[in-house]
Amino acid sequence: MDVTKFEELQLDDRIIRAITEMGFEEASPIQAQAIPVVLEGRDMIGQAQTGTGKTASFAIPIIQHLQANKETDKRQGIKALILTPTRELAMQISECIDDYSKYTRVRHGVIFGGVNQRPQVDMLRKGIDILVATPGRLLDLINQGHIHLTNIEYFVLDEADRMLDMGFYDDIM
Ligand code: AMP
């Protein structure tokens, strides 16, 4: 199979720098297939096992777009929403975004249930571009007026099958 190097994907230098520091040079198969599609702004469904670089396959192109639009798009509010079924996955995705966005001006945050919402609300007030969330806490904070989805441009359903298995159908709808 052909190998795709990250350098070939026309990503921002700041993202390439972070990827290089992590020791990656070649995109994994799911990344090589997904990143160009998302960079074109198209919808996609991806399937790959855990540990194959699935998270970066949507995180990298979203960070790329948001960073590229930073200079011109001055609108406030969350622009990318990533829904995931569990707190553990939410934290893992957030760490992954941390890794790839650390040299950019793209800001992100994570919310999940089972903990005090206060620090999460404070974090949201400071302004973020990407929000990683579990469905229940997201709905709570939307209903309380702390989150507005008016400016969302990117929407990811991570582990969509598992979210449905866990009974999140109504929340997701
Ligand atoms: P996932 O849970 O599918 O997002 O996979 C995450 C794991 O894949 C982490 O251990 C990353 O360090 C690793 N990973 C991500 N991108 C690559 C890559 N291009 N080459 C090798 N490993 C990668």
Side-chain angles (χ1 to χ4, degrees):
M1 209 177 99
D2 285 350
V3 164
T4 305
K5 293 196 184 259
F6 282 109
E7 296 255 332
E8 297 166 32
L9 291 172
Q10 290 171 327
L11 298 168
D12 190 289
D13 286 347
R14 284 162 282 205
I15 299 174
I16 291 289
R17 185 171 154 207
I19 294 173
T20 309
E21 271 183 22
M22 275 182 270
F24 303 142
E25 194 181 335
E26 292 169 5
S28 70
I30 180 82
Q31 292 167 353
Q33 290 173 72
I35 293 173
V37 175
V38 183
L39 285 177
E40 280 180 24
R42 288 159 56 197
D43 292 337
M44 66 135 225
I45 298 176
Q47 192 174 16
Q49 287 184 334
T50 299
T52 53
K54 192 165 52 78
T55 315
S57 74
F58 60 78
I60 290 173
I62 289 174
I63 296 165
Q64 168 71 29
H65 274 294
L66 293 175
Q67 173 60 36
N69 293 341
K70 270 272 163 191
E71 307 304 325
T72 49
D73 187 355
K74 297 291 179 205
R75 284 180 306 163
Q76 299 293 310
I78 299 159
K79 300 186 187 66
L81 174 64
I82 299 166
L83 269 191
T84 189
T86 67
R87 164 194 179 141
E88 287 70 30
L89 282 166
M91 290 192 297
Q92 276 172 33
I93 295 169
S94 178
E95 281 164 22
C96 176
I97 296 172
D98 246 343
D99 287 339
Y100 293 98
S101 68
K102 65 179 176 185
Y103 297 119
T104 72
R105 289 172 52 219
V106 176
R107 299 289 163 254
H108 72 281
V110 58
I111 60 170
F112 41 75
V115 293
N116 188 338
Q117 71 168 44
R118 189 62 188 275
Q120 298 178 355
V121 171
D122 290 344
M123 173 275 292
L124 290 163
R125 284 216 182 95
K126 288 187 192 138
I128 51 168
D129 304 298
I130 305 175
L131 177 65
V132 184
T134 53
R137 179 57 57 101
L138 175 69
L139 281 181
D140 274 353
L141 295 185
I142 289 174
N143 291 334
Q144 293 172 45
H146 295 301
I147 294 174
H148 304 276
L149 300 184
T150 354
N151 289 335
I152 295 289
E153 295 164 33
Y154 308 96
F155 179 43
V156 179
L157 290 160
D158 182 55
E159 308 230 355
D161 49 351
R162 204 162 138 207
M163 280 201 280
L164 296 179
D165 288 344
M166 287 172 67
F168 283 127
Y169 181 86
D170 288 336
D171 285 354
I172 290 167
M173 283 307 157

